[in-house]
């Protein structure tokens, strides 16, 4: 597995843990919650940018068939 993919998964897990931790506390710290969500979204973005578009894949298959 690539290093960048491992980093992305670590960001997702860390962000989810921080967001859940911030929500579980009775006296919620909004900044910790926002930071956790930002780290979570950054990890999701890093993973999703490497997934090819289904439309691009279908166009490549049509070009190969012609």
């Amino acid at each position: 597995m690539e290093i960048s993919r491992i980093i992305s998964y670590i960001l997702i897990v860390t962000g989810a843990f921080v967001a859940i931790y911030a929500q579980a506390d009775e006296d919620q710290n909004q900044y910790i919650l926002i930071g956790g969500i930002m780290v979570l979204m950054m990890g999701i973005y890093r993973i999703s940018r490497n997934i090819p578009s289904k439309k691009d894949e279908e166009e490549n298959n049509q070009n190969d068939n012609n």
Side-chain angles (χ1 to χ4, degrees):
M1 200 184 310
E2 297 176 19
I3 293 290
S4 64
R5 185 171 278 185
I6 292 171
I7 292 171
S8 298
Y9 286 126
I10 290 171
L11 287 172
I12 291 171
V13 171
T14 304
F17 178 76
V18 169
I20 290 171
Y21 173 77
Q23 281 288 100
D25 195 17
E26 288 182 17
D27 185 26
Q28 292 180 358
N29 189 339
Q30 296 292 325
Y31 297 112
I32 293 176
L33 178 61
I34 291 170
I37 291 172
M38 287 176 59
V39 171
L40 174 67
M41 294 305 292
M42 199 167 45
I44 291 172
Y45 170 73
R46 288 173 56 103
I47 291 287
S48 68
R49 72 179 178 186
N50 293 327
I51 298 173
S53 172
K54 186 174 182 180
K55 183 178 179 182
D56 291 343
E57 188 175 304
E58 289 175 357
E59 287 177 1
N60 288 340
N61 288 340
Q62 289 178 351
N63 290 339
D64 291 342
N65 291 335
N66 291 334

